[in-house]
Amino acid sequence: MNTLVIDNKSYVVVPVESYEALQKKAALKTRPEKLLTIDEARAHSKKAIRKWAGGK
């Protein structure tokens, strides 16, 4: 790991393997999207279909 200074800003240079490991670790910490119940999903899909059909 090396430190670079360009225009008074510090940058860290890391190997690709370390960078990919950091990305994978960060991705695991993200919260999954909210799952809808069956009724919520039906209402959402009906709303989307009505919006799509009304546009034609």
Side-chain angles (χ1 to χ4, degrees):
M1 184 164 69
N2 298 325
T3 305
L4 224 70
V5 177
I6 302 174
D7 295 331
N8 293 330
K9 293 182 181 179
S10 295
Y11 298 92
V12 178
V13 180
V14 296
V16 174
E17 296 84 18
S18 299
Y19 178 71
E20 289 173 351
L22 282 172
Q23 279 185 320
K24 196 178 289 187
K25 186 176 180 181
L28 291 173
K29 288 187 177 183
T30 58
R31 301 179 90 199
E33 292 183 23
K34 180 186 174 208
L35 293 177
L36 301 175
T37 64
I38 293 175
D39 293 331
E40 290 172 335
R42 283 187 183 132
H44 178 72
S45 63
K46 286 180 183 179
K47 181 180 175 184
I49 290 169
R50 287 187 186 116
K51 182 178 176 183
W52 175 78
K56 286 192 161 190

